[in-house]
Structures are given as C-alpha cells and as structure tokens.
Amino acid sequence: MNPAASIVVPTRGGAKRLPVLLRALSLQDTDDFEVVVVVDGDIDGTARLLDSWSDRLPLRTIVFPENLGRSAALNAGADLASGEILIRSDDDLEPGFGFVRGHIAHHSHATGPIGVVGLTTNHYPDTPFARAYGRAADRRFIRDALRLPEHSTWRLWAANVSVSKIIHRNLGGYDSRYRRYGWEDVDFGYRLHAAGVRVVVAPDLMAIHHGASTTTAVRTVRALHSGSARETFVGIHGTQALPEPSAGGGAWGLIVGAGARFATTRTLRAYGAAVDTIAPFVPIKLAEKLIALGVESAGLAGAQRPERASEDF
C-alpha cells in the first residue's frame, strides 16, 4: 500500500545539514509517508550518510552523477515518489512532530485542489548580522506573509510546501531552465496560481530553517544571485507577472540605487565583512541600516545586471 505522502528532498553538499532533517522526520507522529532524497551530484559523501539512515526511515535515494540543478532533483524525486501528496522539504529544515500529518490534513480537508505553504523561521547563531538584522527581518517576513491576500500567496512557494502528485504532473513539474540561485519555486507557485489552484498558507506547519545566511557577506551575495535569477522568470512570464524592482523614492532609494551600481560578488563580500566587523560597536539601528543597504542594493543589482551573478546551482 502506498503512503499518503512522499517528502522530496533535493540536496547538494548536504551531508552536514541532512541529519537534523532526517532526525526530525524520524520523530513524526505518523508513519504514513516515505522520504525521497535526491543527491544532486555527491560532493561530500551524502550517499553514505543516507545509507546509514535507511533502517530508521522509509528512505529512498537518487544520486545524480553530476550537478543537474534543483529543478531536476525535485522532478526526479516526484517521479519516484509513490505518495499521493508531494511535500517538498529543503535539506536544511527542522520540521515539528506534526509536519507530515499537517500537510496531509490540509489537503484532506480542502474542498478542491490546493497548494500548501508552510513558512519557515530562521535559526541564527549569535552573529552581528543576526542581532542587527536577521532576526528582525525574519519576524517581519512572517508577519507580512500571514497578511498576504490569497491572490499573492503564490510568491511564498519555497522550501516547505506540498501539492498533489497529480497537480505536479499536470503542471509539468519544476522548470529546468532555472539554474541560478532560486526562483524555480516562485515559478512553480505562479503556475499553480495561473492554473486556478489555491495556494494556502498554513501557520501550523512552521519549520525551523538552519540556513547559510548568517553573515552580511553571505546574505548580500545571495541577494545578488536571487535578483539575477529573476531574469529567467521574467523571460518566461513577462513583467506583468511581477512588478519590476526599483530602489524606491527619497534619499534611501537614491542610496540603494547608487549601491546597486557597484554591487558585485567581490564588493559585496568586502562590504559585508566590513559591516559585520563594525556592527557590534555602532548603534543597532545604524548596523541594521548598513546591512539593509547591502541586501537591497545587491538584490537590485542582480535584477538590473543579472550577468554579475551567472553561476549555476
């Protein structure tokens, strides 16, 4: 008998991250699920780690011989999955005991086909970035996400989501054209919305995110890459799907726009390191502004000059 749900986990270089997720999944309050982990090119012994968990979880593994991208990994996992509900979980999440049961319940109780978004809350070490910016930005994101009108919730499709296997197949899965950092998830959410599938935010499915953005340098460089990946989305769906980013008005907008002109991977790493060095010694509001300047300038630079961040992921 097939399980109710399949948890699809794409991973690359996840040998140190995965044990937290796998431990959380082994403690779920239901056993009506399987875990499908897709290793997108094994660069750190992830396959060996997964073998050591095979007697503790209903675990199946796919190992790509090389890096094919997150979309390819998600689609391969969905193709192998035997559950009716596909739950996407990134490899750096720590879900609660009712994670699987909750995702299944939202689909079972819905009056029609839906996509379900469980939000994530970041777990930060005690860094200057976390104290001055990260934790407050996290709280604002969750607050704003819970207030989004339903016609905009598709933008939240990300690391902790679920959809029926039938809908996933009908949409053609995740788009393999997304090889930069992110946006394959936003694209999938947009196509759900365009197909008339309601995207429901479920506060009860919050998961802890043990992410890599723990310093200003890492966060700004990721903002640059995310802004760059937006080019693929606009090339497919046009600017009518999502407004063009801008620096905004006023003095702050001018400063962000000026920062975007100079934002590259090299300059952002240097800027981030400098900000994290001085952040403990300046008023926290000033530190927050300096970090926000880097993040917003980087995102705008990526969107306006996507060639500055062209690496594949």
Coordinates of all heavy atoms in Angstrom, one line a residue, residues 74-160:
L74 N 14.2 18.0 -7.9 CA 12.8 17.9 -7.4 C 11.9 17.1 -8.3 O 11.1 16.3 -7.9 CB 12.2 19.3 -7.4 CG 12.8 20.2 -6.2 CD1 12.5 21.7 -6.4 CD2 12.1 19.7 -4.9
N75 N 12.1 17.2 -9.6 CA 11.3 16.4 -10.6 C 11.6 14.9 -10.5 O 10.7 14.1 -10.6 CB 11.5 16.9 -12.0 CG 10.9 18.3 -12.2 OD1 10.0 18.7 -11.4 ND2 11.4 19.1 -13.1
A76 N 12.9 14.6 -10.4 CA 13.3 13.2 -10.3 C 12.7 12.6 -9.0 O 12.2 11.4 -9.0 CB 14.8 13.0 -10.2
G77 N 12.7 13.3 -7.9 CA 12.1 12.8 -6.7 C 10.6 12.6 -6.8 O 10.0 11.7 -6.3
A78 N 9.9 13.6 -7.5 CA 8.5 13.4 -7.7 C 8.1 12.2 -8.6 O 7.2 11.5 -8.3 CB 7.9 14.7 -8.3
D79 N 9.0 12.0 -9.6 CA 8.7 10.8 -10.4 C 8.9 9.5 -9.7 O 8.1 8.6 -10.0 CB 9.7 10.9 -11.6 CG 9.4 12.0 -12.6 OD1 8.3 12.5 -12.6 OD2 10.4 12.3 -13.4
L80 N 9.8 9.4 -8.8 CA 10.0 8.2 -8.0 C 9.0 8.1 -6.9 O 8.6 6.9 -6.5 CB 11.4 8.2 -7.4 CG 11.8 7.0 -6.6 CD1 11.8 5.7 -7.5 CD2 13.1 7.2 -5.9
A81 N 8.4 9.2 -6.4 CA 7.5 9.2 -5.2 C 6.3 8.3 -5.5 O 5.7 8.3 -6.6 CB 7.2 10.6 -4.9
S82 N 5.9 7.6 -4.4 CA 4.6 6.8 -4.5 C 3.5 7.4 -3.7 O 2.4 6.9 -3.8 CB 4.9 5.4 -4.0 OG 5.5 5.4 -2.7
G83 N 3.7 8.5 -3.0 CA 2.6 9.1 -2.2 C 1.7 10.0 -3.1 O 2.2 10.5 -4.1
E84 N 0.5 10.1 -2.6 CA -0.4 11.0 -3.3 C -0.1 12.5 -3.2 O -0.3 13.3 -4.0 CB -1.9 10.7 -2.8 CG -2.9 11.6 -3.5 CD -4.3 11.3 -2.9 OE1 -4.5 10.4 -2.1 OE2 -5.2 12.1 -3.2
I85 N 0.4 12.8 -2.0 CA 0.8 14.2 -1.7 C 2.3 14.3 -1.7 O 3.0 13.5 -1.1 CB 0.3 14.6 -0.3 CG1 -1.2 14.5 -0.2 CG2 0.7 16.1 0.0 CD1 -2.0 15.3 -1.2
L86 N 2.8 15.3 -2.5 CA 4.3 15.5 -2.5 C 4.6 16.7 -1.6 O 4.1 17.8 -1.8 CB 4.7 15.9 -3.9 CG 4.5 14.8 -5.0 CD1 4.9 15.4 -6.4 CD2 5.2 13.5 -4.7
I87 N 5.4 16.5 -0.6 CA 5.9 17.5 0.3 C 7.3 17.8 0.0 O 8.2 17.0 0.0 CB 5.8 17.1 1.8 CG1 4.4 16.6 2.1 CG2 6.2 18.2 2.7 CD1 4.2 16.0 3.5
R88 N 7.5 19.1 -0.4 CA 8.9 19.5 -0.7 C 9.5 20.0 0.7 O 8.9 20.8 1.4 CB 9.0 20.6 -1.7 CG 10.4 21.2 -1.7 CD 10.5 22.4 -2.7 NE 11.8 23.0 -2.6 CZ 12.3 24.0 -3.4 NH1 11.5 24.4 -4.4 NH2 13.5 24.5 -3.2
S89 N 10.7 19.5 1.0 CA 11.4 19.9 2.1 C 12.9 20.2 1.7 O 13.5 19.2 1.2 CB 11.4 18.9 3.3 OG 12.2 19.4 4.3
D90 N 13.4 21.4 1.9 CA 14.8 21.6 1.7 C 15.6 20.9 2.7 O 15.1 20.5 3.8 CB 15.1 23.1 1.7 CG 14.7 23.7 0.3 OD1 14.2 23.0 -0.5 OD2 15.0 24.9 0.2
D91 N 16.9 20.6 2.5 CA 17.7 19.8 3.3 C 18.2 20.5 4.6 O 18.8 19.8 5.5 CB 18.9 19.2 2.5 CG 19.9 20.3 2.1 OD1 19.7 21.5 2.4 OD2 20.9 19.9 1.5
D92 N 17.9 21.8 4.8 CA 18.3 22.5 6.0 C 17.1 22.8 6.9 O 17.2 23.8 7.7 CB 19.1 23.7 5.6 CG 18.4 24.6 4.6 OD1 17.2 24.3 4.3 OD2 19.0 25.6 4.2
L93 N 16.0 22.1 6.7 CA 14.9 22.4 7.6 C 14.8 21.4 8.8 O 15.4 20.3 8.8 CB 13.6 22.2 6.8 CG 13.3 23.1 5.7 CD1 11.8 23.0 5.2 CD2 13.5 24.6 6.1
E94 N 14.1 21.9 9.8 CA 13.9 21.1 11.0 C 12.4 21.2 11.4 O 12.0 22.1 12.1 CB 14.7 21.5 12.2 CG 14.5 20.7 13.5 CD 15.4 21.1 14.6 OE1 16.1 22.1 14.5 OE2 15.3 20.5 15.7
P95 N 11.6 20.3 10.8 CA 10.1 20.4 11.0 C 9.7 19.9 12.3 O 10.4 19.1 12.9 CB 9.5 19.6 9.8 CG 10.6 18.6 9.5 CD 11.9 19.3 9.8
G96 N 8.5 20.3 12.8 CA 7.9 19.8 14.0 C 7.4 18.4 13.9 O 7.3 17.8 12.8
F97 N 6.9 17.8 15.0 CA 6.4 16.5 15.0 C 5.2 16.2 14.1 O 5.0 15.2 13.6 CB 6.0 16.1 16.5 CG 7.2 16.1 17.5 CD1 6.9 16.6 18.7 CD2 8.5 15.8 17.1 CE1 8.0 16.6 19.7 CE2 9.5 15.9 18.0 CZ 9.3 16.3 19.3
G98 N 4.4 17.3 13.9 CA 3.2 17.1 13.2 C 3.3 17.6 11.7 O 2.3 17.8 11.0
F99 N 4.5 17.7 11.3 CA 4.8 18.3 9.9 C 4.1 17.5 8.8 O 3.3 18.0 8.0 CB 6.3 18.3 9.7 CG 6.8 18.6 8.3 CD1 6.7 19.9 7.8 CD2 7.4 17.6 7.6 CE1 7.2 20.1 6.5 CE2 7.8 17.8 6.3 CZ 7.8 19.1 5.8
V100 N 4.3 16.2 8.8 CA 3.7 15.4 7.7 C 2.2 15.3 7.9 O 1.5 15.4 6.9 CB 4.4 14.0 7.7 CG1 3.7 13.1 6.7 CG2 5.9 14.0 7.4
R101 N 1.8 15.0 9.1 CA 0.3 14.8 9.3 C -0.4 16.1 9.0 O -1.5 16.1 8.4 CB 0.1 14.5 10.8 CG -1.4 14.4 11.2 CD -1.6 14.1 12.7 NE -0.7 14.8 13.5 CZ -0.9 16.1 13.9 NH1 -1.9 16.8 13.4 NH2 0.0 16.7 14.7
G102 N 0.2 17.3 9.3 CA -0.4 18.5 9.0 C -0.5 18.8 7.5 O -1.6 19.3 7.0
H103 N 0.5 18.5 6.7 CA 0.4 18.7 5.3 C -0.7 17.8 4.7 O -1.5 18.3 3.9 CB 1.8 18.4 4.6 CG 2.7 19.6 4.5 ND1 2.5 20.6 3.6 CD2 3.8 19.9 5.2 CE1 3.5 21.5 3.7 NE2 4.3 21.1 4.7
I104 N -0.7 16.6 5.1 CA -1.8 15.7 4.6 C -3.1 16.2 5.0 O -4.1 16.2 4.2 CB -1.5 14.2 5.2 CG1 -0.2 13.6 4.7 CG2 -2.7 13.3 4.8 CD1 0.2 12.4 5.4
A105 N -3.3 16.6 6.2 CA -4.6 17.1 6.7 C -5.1 18.3 5.9 O -6.3 18.4 5.6 CB -4.6 17.4 8.2
H106 N -4.3 19.2 5.6 CA -4.7 20.4 4.8 C -5.3 20.0 3.4 O -6.3 20.5 3.0 CB -3.6 21.4 4.6 CG -3.4 22.3 5.8 ND1 -4.2 23.4 6.1 CD2 -2.5 22.2 6.8 CE1 -3.8 23.9 7.2 NE2 -2.7 23.3 7.7
H107 N -4.7 19.0 2.8 CA -5.2 18.5 1.5 C -6.5 17.7 1.7 O -7.4 17.8 0.9 CB -4.1 17.7 0.8 CG -3.0 18.5 0.3 ND1 -3.0 19.1 -0.9 CD2 -1.7 18.7 0.9 CE1 -1.8 19.8 -1.1 NE2 -1.1 19.5 0.0
S108 N -6.5 16.9 2.8 CA -7.7 16.1 3.0 C -8.9 16.9 3.3 O -10.1 16.5 2.9 CB -7.4 15.1 4.2 OG -6.4 14.2 3.9
H109 N -8.8 18.0 4.0 CA -9.9 18.8 4.4 C -10.3 19.9 3.4 O -11.3 20.6 3.6 CB -9.6 19.5 5.8 CG -9.4 18.5 6.9 ND1 -8.6 18.8 8.0 CD2 -9.8 17.2 7.0 CE1 -8.5 17.7 8.7 NE2 -9.3 16.8 8.2
A110 N -9.5 20.1 2.3 CA -9.8 21.1 1.3 C -10.9 20.7 0.5 O -11.1 19.5 0.2 CB -8.5 21.4 0.5
T111 N -11.7 21.7 0.0 CA -12.8 21.4 -0.9 C -12.4 21.3 -2.3 O -13.3 20.9 -3.2 CB -13.9 22.5 -0.7 OG1 -13.2 23.8 -1.0 CG2 -14.4 22.6 0.7
G112 N -11.2 21.5 -2.7 CA -10.7 21.4 -4.0 C -9.2 21.3 -4.0 O -8.6 21.3 -2.9
P113 N -8.6 21.2 -5.2 CA -7.1 21.1 -5.2 C -6.5 22.4 -4.7 O -6.9 23.5 -4.9 CB -6.9 20.9 -6.7 CG -8.0 21.5 -7.4 CD -9.2 21.2 -6.5
I114 N -5.5 22.2 -3.9 CA -4.7 23.3 -3.3 C -3.2 23.0 -3.3 O -2.8 21.9 -3.4 CB -5.2 23.6 -1.8 CG1 -4.9 22.4 -0.9 CG2 -6.6 24.0 -1.7 CD1 -5.1 22.6 0.6
G115 N -2.5 24.1 -3.1 CA -1.1 24.0 -2.8 C -1.0 24.5 -1.4 O -1.6 25.5 -1.0
V116 N -0.1 23.9 -0.6 CA 0.0 24.3 0.8 C 1.4 24.9 1.1 O 2.4 24.2 0.7 CB -0.3 23.1 1.8 CG1 -0.1 23.5 3.2 CG2 -1.7 22.6 1.6
V117 N 1.5 26.0 1.7 CA 2.8 26.7 2.1 C 2.9 26.6 3.6 O 2.1 27.2 4.3 CB 2.8 28.1 1.6 CG1 4.1 28.8 2.2 CG2 2.9 28.2 0.1
G118 N 3.9 26.0 4.1 CA 4.3 26.1 5.5 C 5.5 27.0 5.6 O 6.5 26.8 4.9
L119 N 5.4 28.0 6.4 CA 6.5 29.0 6.4 C 7.7 28.5 7.2 O 7.6 27.4 7.8 CB 6.0 30.3 7.1 CG 4.8 31.0 6.4 CD1 4.3 32.2 7.2 CD2 5.2 31.4 5.0
T120 N 8.8 29.2 7.1 CA 10.0 28.8 7.9 C 10.5 30.0 8.7 O 10.3 31.1 8.3 CB 11.1 28.3 6.9 OG1 11.5 29.4 6.1 CG2 10.7 27.2 6.1
T121 N 11.1 29.6 9.8 CA 11.7 30.7 10.7 C 13.1 30.4 10.9 O 13.5 29.2 11.1 CB 11.0 30.7 12.1 OG1 11.6 31.8 12.9 CG2 11.0 29.4 12.8
N122 N 14.0 31.3 10.6 CA 15.4 31.1 10.6 C 16.0 30.9 12.0 O 15.7 31.7 12.9 CB 16.1 32.2 9.9 CG 15.9 32.2 8.4 OD1 16.2 31.2 7.7 ND2 15.3 33.3 7.9
H123 N 16.9 30.0 12.1 CA 17.6 29.8 13.4 C 19.0 30.3 13.1 O 19.8 29.8 12.3 CB 17.7 28.3 13.8 CG 18.5 28.1 15.0 ND1 19.9 27.8 14.9 CD2 18.2 28.1 16.3 CE1 20.3 27.6 16.2 NE2 19.3 27.8 17.0
Y124 N 19.4 31.4 13.9 CA 20.7 32.0 13.7 C 21.6 31.8 14.8 O 21.2 31.8 16.0 CB 20.5 33.5 13.5 CG 19.8 34.0 12.3 CD1 18.5 34.5 12.4 CD2 20.4 34.0 11.1 CE1 17.8 35.0 11.3 CE2 19.7 34.5 9.9 CZ 18.4 35.0 10.1 OH 17.8 35.4 9.0
P125 N 22.9 31.6 14.5 CA 23.9 31.7 15.6 C 24.0 33.2 16.0 O 23.5 34.0 15.3 CB 25.2 31.2 15.0 CG 25.0 31.4 13.5 CD 23.5 31.2 13.2
D126 N 24.6 33.4 17.1 CA 24.6 34.8 17.6 C 25.7 35.6 16.9 O 26.7 35.9 17.5 CB 24.8 34.8 19.1 CG 24.6 36.2 19.8 OD1 23.7 36.9 19.2 OD2 25.2 36.5 20.8
T127 N 25.4 36.0 15.7 CA 26.3 36.8 14.9 C 25.9 38.3 14.9 O 24.7 38.6 15.2 CB 26.3 36.3 13.4 OG1 25.0 36.4 12.9 CG2 26.8 34.8 13.4
P128 N 26.8 39.2 14.5 CA 26.3 40.6 14.3 C 25.2 40.7 13.3 O 24.3 41.6 13.6 CB 27.6 41.3 13.8 CG 28.7 40.5 14.4 CD 28.2 39.1 14.3
F129 N 25.2 40.0 12.3 CA 24.2 40.0 11.3 C 22.8 39.6 11.9 O 21.8 40.3 11.7 CB 24.5 39.1 10.1 CG 23.3 38.8 9.2 CD1 23.1 39.7 8.2 CD2 22.5 37.7 9.3 CE1 22.0 39.5 7.3 CE2 21.5 37.5 8.4 CZ 21.2 38.4 7.4
A130 N 22.8 38.5 12.7 CA 21.5 38.1 13.3 C 21.0 39.1 14.3 O 19.8 39.4 14.3 CB 21.8 36.7 14.0
R131 N 21.9 39.7 15.1 CA 21.4 40.6 16.1 C 20.9 41.9 15.5 O 19.9 42.4 16.0 CB 22.6 40.9 17.1 CG 23.0 39.8 17.9 CD 23.9 40.2 19.1 NE 25.2 40.8 18.6 CZ 26.3 40.1 18.4 NH1 26.3 38.8 18.5 NH2 27.4 40.7 18.0
A132 N 21.6 42.4 14.5 CA 21.2 43.7 14.0 C 20.1 43.7 12.9 O 19.4 44.6 12.7 CB 22.4 44.4 13.4
Y133 N 20.0 42.5 12.2 CA 19.2 42.5 11.0 C 18.4 41.2 10.9 O 17.2 41.2 10.7 CB 20.0 42.7 9.8 CG 19.3 42.7 8.5 CD1 18.7 43.9 8.0 CD2 19.1 41.6 7.7 CE1 18.0 43.9 6.8 CE2 18.4 41.6 6.5 CZ 17.9 42.7 6.0 OH 17.2 42.7 4.9
G134 N 19.0 40.1 10.9 CA 18.4 38.8 10.5 C 17.2 38.4 11.3 O 16.1 38.1 10.7
R135 N 17.2 38.5 12.6 CA 16.1 38.1 13.4 C 14.9 39.0 13.2 O 13.7 38.6 13.1 CB 16.4 38.0 14.9 CG 17.4 36.9 15.2 CD 17.9 36.9 16.7 NE 18.9 35.8 16.9 CZ 20.0 36.0 17.6 NH1 20.3 37.2 18.1 NH2 20.8 35.0 17.7
A136 N 15.1 40.3 13.2 CA 14.0 41.3 12.9 C 13.5 41.1 11.5 O 12.2 41.2 11.4 CB 14.6 42.7 13.1
A137 N 14.3 40.9 10.5 CA 13.8 40.7 9.2 C 13.0 39.4 9.1 O 12.0 39.4 8.4 CB 15.0 40.6 8.2
D138 N 13.4 38.4 9.8 CA 12.6 37.2 9.8 C 11.2 37.4 10.4 O 10.2 36.9 9.8 CB 13.4 36.2 10.7 CG 12.9 34.7 10.5 OD1 12.7 34.4 9.3 OD2 12.8 34.0 11.5
R139 N 11.1 38.1 11.5 CA 9.8 38.4 12.1 C 8.9 39.2 11.1 O 7.7 39.0 11.0 CB 10.0 39.1 13.4 CG 10.6 38.3 14.5 CD 10.5 39.0 15.9 NE 11.3 40.2 15.9 CZ 12.5 40.2 16.4 NH1 13.2 39.1 16.7 NH2 13.2 41.4 16.4
R140 N 9.5 40.2 10.5 CA 8.8 41.0 9.5 C 8.3 40.1 8.4 O 7.1 40.3 7.9 CB 9.6 42.2 9.0 CG 9.8 43.3 10.0 CD 10.4 44.5 9.3 NE 11.7 44.3 8.7 CZ 12.9 44.4 9.3 NH1 12.9 44.8 10.5 NH2 14.0 44.2 8.6
F141 N 9.1 39.2 7.9 CA 8.7 38.4 6.7 C 7.5 37.5 7.1 O 6.6 37.4 6.4 CB 9.9 37.5 6.3 CG 9.5 36.4 5.3 CD1 9.2 36.8 4.0 CD2 9.2 35.1 5.7 CE1 8.8 35.8 3.1 CE2 8.8 34.2 4.9 CZ 8.6 34.5 3.5
I142 N 7.6 36.9 8.3 CA 6.5 36.0 8.7 C 5.2 36.8 8.9 O 4.1 36.4 8.5 CB 6.9 35.3 10.0 CG1 8.0 34.3 9.7 CG2 5.7 34.6 10.6 CD1 8.6 33.7 10.9
R143 N 5.3 38.0 9.6 CA 4.2 38.9 9.7 C 3.5 39.2 8.4 O 2.3 39.1 8.2 CB 4.6 40.1 10.5 CG 3.5 41.2 10.7 CD 4.1 42.5 11.0 NE 4.8 43.1 9.8 CZ 5.7 44.0 9.9 NH1 6.0 44.6 11.0 NH2 6.3 44.5 8.8
D144 N 4.3 39.7 7.5 CA 3.8 40.1 6.2 C 3.3 38.9 5.4 O 2.3 39.1 4.7 CB 4.9 40.8 5.4 CG 5.3 42.1 6.0 OD1 4.6 42.6 6.9 OD2 6.4 42.6 5.6
A145 N 3.9 37.8 5.5 CA 3.4 36.6 4.8 C 2.0 36.2 5.2 O 1.2 35.8 4.4 CB 4.4 35.4 5.0
L146 N 1.8 36.3 6.5 CA 0.5 35.9 7.1 C -0.6 36.9 6.7 O -1.8 36.6 6.8 CB 0.6 35.7 8.6 CG 1.5 34.6 9.1 CD1 1.6 34.6 10.6 CD2 0.9 33.2 8.6
R147 N -0.2 38.1 6.3 CA -1.2 39.1 5.9 C -1.4 39.1 4.4 O -2.3 39.9 3.9 CB -0.7 40.5 6.3 CG -0.6 40.7 7.8 CD 0.0 42.0 8.2 NE 0.0 42.2 9.6 CZ 0.6 43.3 10.2 NH1 1.2 44.2 9.4 NH2 0.6 43.4 11.5
L148 N -0.7 38.4 3.6 CA -0.8 38.4 2.2 C -2.2 38.0 1.7 O -2.8 37.0 2.2 CB 0.2 37.5 1.5 CG 1.5 38.1 1.1 CD1 2.4 37.0 0.4 CD2 1.5 39.3 0.2
P149 N -2.9 38.7 0.8 CA -4.1 38.2 0.2 C -3.9 37.0 -0.6 O -2.8 36.7 -1.1 CB -4.6 39.4 -0.7 CG -3.3 40.1 -1.0 CD -2.4 40.0 0.2
E150 N -4.9 36.2 -0.7 CA -4.7 34.9 -1.4 C -4.2 35.0 -2.8 O -3.6 34.0 -3.3 CB -6.0 34.1 -1.3 CG -5.8 32.6 -1.6 CD -7.0 31.8 -1.3 OE1 -7.2 31.5 -0.1 OE2 -7.8 31.4 -2.2
H151 N -4.6 36.0 -3.5 CA -4.1 36.1 -4.9 C -2.6 36.4 -5.0 O -2.0 36.3 -6.1 CB -4.8 37.2 -5.7 CG -4.6 38.6 -5.1 ND1 -3.5 39.4 -5.3 CD2 -5.4 39.4 -4.3 CE1 -3.6 40.5 -4.7 NE2 -4.8 40.6 -4.1
S152 N -1.9 36.6 -3.8 CA -0.5 36.8 -3.8 C 0.3 35.8 -3.1 O 1.6 35.8 -3.1 CB -0.2 38.2 -3.2 OG -0.7 39.3 -3.9
T153 N -0.3 34.8 -2.5 CA 0.4 33.8 -1.7 C 1.3 32.9 -2.5 O 2.2 32.2 -2.0 CB -0.6 33.0 -0.9 OG1 -1.6 32.5 -1.8 CG2 -1.3 33.8 0.2
W154 N 1.1 32.8 -3.8 CA 1.9 32.0 -4.7 C 3.4 32.4 -4.6 O 4.3 31.6 -4.8 CB 1.5 32.1 -6.1 CG 1.5 33.4 -6.8 CD1 0.4 34.3 -6.8 CD2 2.6 34.1 -7.4 NE1 0.8 35.5 -7.5 CE2 2.1 35.4 -7.9 CE3 3.9 33.7 -7.7 CZ2 2.9 36.2 -8.6 CZ3 4.7 34.6 -8.4 CH2 4.2 35.9 -8.8
R155 N 3.6 33.7 -4.2 CA 5.0 34.2 -4.2 C 5.8 33.5 -3.0 O 7.0 33.6 -3.0 CB 5.0 35.7 -3.9 CG 4.3 36.5 -5.0 CD 4.4 38.0 -4.8 NE 3.6 38.7 -5.7 CZ 3.6 40.0 -5.8 NH1 4.4 40.7 -5.0 NH2 2.8 40.7 -6.7
L156 N 5.1 32.9 -2.1 CA 5.7 32.3 -0.9 C 6.1 30.8 -1.2 O 6.7 30.2 -0.3 CB 4.7 32.3 0.3 CG 4.2 33.7 0.7 CD1 3.2 33.6 1.8 CD2 5.4 34.5 1.2
W157 N 5.8 30.3 -2.4 CA 6.2 28.9 -2.6 C 7.7 28.7 -2.5 O 8.4 29.4 -3.2 CB 5.7 28.5 -4.0 CG 5.6 27.0 -4.2 CD1 6.5 26.2 -4.8 CD2 4.5 26.2 -3.8 NE1 6.0 24.9 -4.8 CE2 4.8 24.9 -4.2 CE3 3.2 26.5 -3.2 CZ2 3.9 23.8 -3.9 CZ3 2.4 25.4 -3.0 CH2 2.7 24.1 -3.3
A158 N 8.1 27.8 -1.6 CA 9.6 27.7 -1.4 C 9.9 26.4 -0.8 O 9.7 25.4 -1.4 CB 10.0 28.9 -0.4
A159 N 10.5 26.4 0.4 CA 11.2 25.2 1.0 C 10.3 24.2 1.7 O 10.8 23.1 2.0 CB 12.3 25.7 1.9
N160 N 9.1 24.6 2.1 CA 8.3 23.8 2.9 C 6.9 23.9 2.3 O 6.0 24.7 2.8 CB 8.3 24.3 4.4 CG 7.3 23.7 5.3 OD1 6.6 22.7 4.9 ND2 7.1 24.3 6.5

